[in-house]
Amino acid sequence: MADTEKKIAWIIGGGSGIGAASARLLADRGWKVAISGRRREKLDEVAAGRDIHPFPLDVTDADAVADVVAQISRTLGRIDLTIFGAAAWQPSEPGDYAFDKFQKVVDTNLLGVVRLANPLFEQYEKQGGGELAVISSVAGYVGLPRAAAYNATKSSLISLTESMHAEMAPRNINVRVVAPGFFKSELTEKNDFPMPFLLETEDAARRMVDGLTNSKSFEIAFPKRMAFILKFMRMLPYPLFFAITSRMMPKDN
Ligand SMILES: NC(=O)c1ccc[n+]([C@@H]2O[C@H](COP(=O)([O-])OP(=O)(O)OC[C@H]3O[C@@H](n4cnc5c(N)ncnc54)[C@H](OP(=O)(O)O)[C@@H]3O)[C@@H](O)[C@H]2O)c1
């Protein structure tokens, strides 16, 4: 493929985890990839030896987000696919709704996408269209103990992308949601609880990239068993639902 024909992907959260593995996979499949995150050294490691280009960014800084959209568009020519995967996560103690901790999670996971939306969609309109995939989680299907802030942001992202999908389609902008189950990453290293159906990072990246490039589905959820279990829980009557989630509480509470 000639260099000028390469499709351009931008992965926010591309310095580690599923973002880094997806950047490498897309580059190996002939895409030109921009990656963003706060740690420059992680971005440089991922970019080494491939057609991957670091654009350091903190998604809690609205001006910086708009600047990086402009920089990538100018330097690489356009953006065909943006994957938003930046996230903050820390298991919380039951009953701890400390504002500062909650705000940090919302500011990154949810408001990061909101800061991105207008500058990115303006660029997409200029270039005649584009695609935004937001990484939510199967955790967004239900509210579980010890993850109040994180799950609240992930369910909000499902709702936000549903609204965006309908609103942006007439402008040739395709907004999609990715809902992974557990996979190995810096984020899940912090977990001190069992993680059913845990995937290798590269496997999770391959499932996400295949879903985004080979299917037209609005939602890319995997592994199927994990997505099914949590979607099924969503449909249970609340007494049964809470009978299950109360068993997830730490034993000493
Ligand atoms: N691992 C799982 O089991 C799992 C399951 C479902 C969904 N997910 C979702 O998958 C996505 C990727 O997570 P991961 O598991 O691959 O973990 P990860 O390696 O920790 O990836 C998160 C990325 O977000 C970046 N980031 C965090 N805060 C940021 C900020 N303010 N501005 C810019 N970038 C920021 C981090 O880079 P810097 O620290 O350098 O900024 C990091 O590269 C997240 O949305 C996560 O919620 C993960």
Side-chain angles (χ1 to χ4, degrees), residues 12-21 36-43 56-61 65 84-89 104 107-109 112 115 134-140 150 153-154 157 178-191 195 198-199 201 204 208 222:
I12 304 170
S16 62
I18 196 171
S36 293
R38 292 164 302 177
R39 290 167 297 171
R40 174 83 209 204
E41 69 285 1
K42 300 292 281 184
L43 301 177
L57 173 66
D58 183 338
V59 299
T60 64
D61 178 342
V65 173
F84 184 97
W89 151 250
K104 184 177 171 227
D107 208 19
T108 303
N109 302 10
R115 289 185 191 94
V134 175
I135 308 183
S136 170
S137 169
V138 295
Y150 182 81
T153 61
K154 293 299 181 177
L157 287 177
V178 182
F182 292 114
F183 58 85
K184 292 181 188 170
S185 71
E186 289 179 4
L187 197 130
T188 43
E189 267 171 21
K190 298 174 193 160
N191 294 352
M195 292 184 273
L198 180 72
L199 298 174
T201 322
M208 177 171 81
F222 56 86

Side-chain angles (χ1 to χ4, degrees), residues 126-216:
K126 268 192 236 158
Q127 61 181 45
E131 199 157 9
L132 169 64
V134 175
I135 308 183
S136 170
S137 169
V138 295
Y141 299 149
V142 286
L144 298 177
R146 301 199 59 200
Y150 182 81
N151 283 27
T153 61
K154 293 299 181 177
S155 60
S156 299
L157 287 177
I158 295 172
S159 168
L160 176 64
T161 49
E162 285 170 356
S163 299
M164 284 178 166
H165 183 87
E167 290 173 358
M168 302 316 293
R171 303 185 203 183
N172 201 28
I173 295 171
N174 190 18
V175 179
R176 306 166 79 179
V177 72
V178 182
F182 292 114
F183 58 85
K184 292 181 188 170
S185 71
E186 289 179 4
L187 197 130
T188 43
E189 267 171 21
K190 298 174 193 160
N191 294 352
D192 54 4
F193 48 80
M195 292 184 273
F197 313 120
L198 180 72
L199 298 174
E200 293 298 323
T201 322
E202 288 69 24
D203 187 11
R206 186 189 47 74
R207 290 171 192 243
M208 177 171 81
V209 167
D210 284 351
L212 291 174
T213 54
N214 301 340
S215 89
K216 296 208 180 307

